[in-house]
Each structure stands twice: as structure tokens, then as C-alpha cells.
Amino acid sequence: MDFPLTQLSLYIMAISVGIFTVIAAITDYKARKIYNVLTVPFFVLGIIYQAVFNGWEGLMYGGLGFVAGFGSFFLIWIVGSGAAGDVKMMGALSIWLGFKATLAVMIVGTLFVLVGSFTILAWSVFRRGAKKTKEQYLATGKSFKGKKKKYVPETMEQKKKRGLMPFALPVVLATWSVTTWMVIKSVVLN
């Protein structure tokens, strides 16, 4: 299903998701959290946006986007590889974007994660050496203290510090790339 967007609805969507992703990226970078006070209202506004501009078809298309975005990241969170804020961010964003754009954001975002992670690791190895990079980023989740090597589990704060990059940054770049492409395509084809 390729859902047609009017110029006005496309611009409103692009500006809205642009503002949302910037705010989410800033809070994720500073606090390593994406707050409910941001994601929940944006999700509700996405439902309103779809209803006003696209009616029932838009709500269904946004719902498919939500299932793709929220559902995928919910599974990632369940297996312990993401945070709940990441899931809620993708859910709120995907209701605005719809199914195809959500899939595109996830694919392009994955590419940004791969390039960014490789760059961060390469820079760390260059600056600090392979051993220190391995100690920082490839922790096993365990640490030992004392002469008897008593196991001390890794805290959430330690896990956050070990992360390569905040989740929202690749999503911002991917969302901007996808929405910019959508705007360019609509201007060129109309």
C-alpha cells in the first residue's frame, strides 16, 4: 500500500518528526533516556494527524507503521538489547511515518548504526589502543572484586557507559534522510 500524501500533510509530518527526533536525540544524548513526556503526546498527535489528513486509511497505514516500528523494537527490548524509551520512540515516530517509511527508517538507521559503530571503535583503537577499547566496549557484564574474585553484577549505569552511541542519533539521521527523500520525491513528481 503506497499511501498518497498531500503537500501540506507531508510538510507537517516532516517538520513534526524533525522536531521530535531532535528533542529525543538531545535527551537521549544527555540523559541516555527518551522520556514518556515526549513520546506519549507525540504518539497521540500522530493519531490525530493521521485522522485529520488521511482518515481511516491513514489511521490503518499509521497503525501498520506502529506495528512495524514498535513491534520490532519491542522484540529487541524483550531480548535485552534495547531500552524501553527506544521502543516508545519508534512507536510514536512510526504512527506518523506509516508502514513503508518506518521500514525505510529502520533500514537506513541500521546502516547509520553500522557506520557509526565502526567509526567509534576504529577511532577508539587508534586513540587508546585495542586493549583499552576491548575493556570498555566488550565487557562481559561481569566484574570481580577482591582476592577471592567475588562476582559483582554489572549495573545499568555501567551498561549505559559501555554503549557505543545513543539510539536516537541514528534514528534522527535516518528519519531526516527518509523524510527529505519523501519531500524531494513529492516536489519532483508534482
Side-chain angles (χ1 to χ4, degrees):
M1 172 190 213
D2 195 13
F3 196 77
L5 294 171
T6 65
Q7 292 290 101
L8 178 62
S9 69
L10 180 61
Y11 294 148
I12 289 172
M13 184 268 300
I15 291 167
S16 299
V17 299
I19 292 168
F20 170 73
T21 54
V22 167
I23 295 169
I26 290 168
T27 60
D28 197 23
Y29 177 75
K30 287 185 175 185
R32 291 287 185 156
K33 282 187 134 195
I34 302 170
Y35 296 99
N36 291 348
V37 72
L38 176 65
T39 57
V40 173
F42 193 70
F43 174 78
V44 172
L45 287 172
I47 293 171
I48 294 168
Y49 162 81
Q50 290 293 359
V52 168
F53 285 101
N54 306 311
W56 286 108
E57 285 185 50
L59 286 169
M60 289 189 308
Y61 193 63
L64 285 174
F66 177 78
V67 168
F70 182 86
S72 300
F73 281 84
F74 182 76
L75 292 174
I76 292 169
W77 175 67
I78 287 293
V79 297
S81 188
D86 304 342
V87 177
K88 291 178 278 187
M89 178 185 178
M90 278 309 296
L93 186 60
S94 60
I95 196 82
W96 283 81
L97 295 174
F99 183 71
K100 281 187 175 181
T102 297
L103 291 180
V105 165
M106 291 190 309
I107 291 166
V108 173
T110 300
L111 295 174
F112 280 119
V113 166
L114 291 172
V115 169
S117 297
F118 177 77
T119 303
I120 290 168
L121 288 173
W123 179 250
S124 180
V125 168
F126 175 74
R127 252 186 65 229
R128 300 171 54 216
K131 185 175 180 180
K132 289 209 184 259
T133 298
K134 181 180 175 184
E135 288 172 4
Q136 180 175 355
Y137 294 116
L138 298 179
T140 62
K142 302 181 223 176
S143 60
F144 298 95
K145 285 191 174 179
K147 291 183 180 183
K148 294 186 178 186
K149 303 285 187 190
K150 182 181 176 199
Y151 169 73
V152 179
E154 186 177 45
T155 66
M156 283 305 286
E157 191 60 36
Q158 289 170 321
K159 286 181 183 181
K160 285 180 183 180
K161 285 181 182 177
R162 195 167 38 87
L164 286 171
M165 70 179 84
F167 166 77
L169 180 61
V171 172
V172 168
L173 296 173
T175 303
W176 288 5
S177 299
V178 169
T179 55
T180 300
W181 173 250
M182 291 168 71
V183 169
I184 290 170
K185 190 170 95 174
S186 105
V187 169
V188 170
L189 295 178
N190 287 335

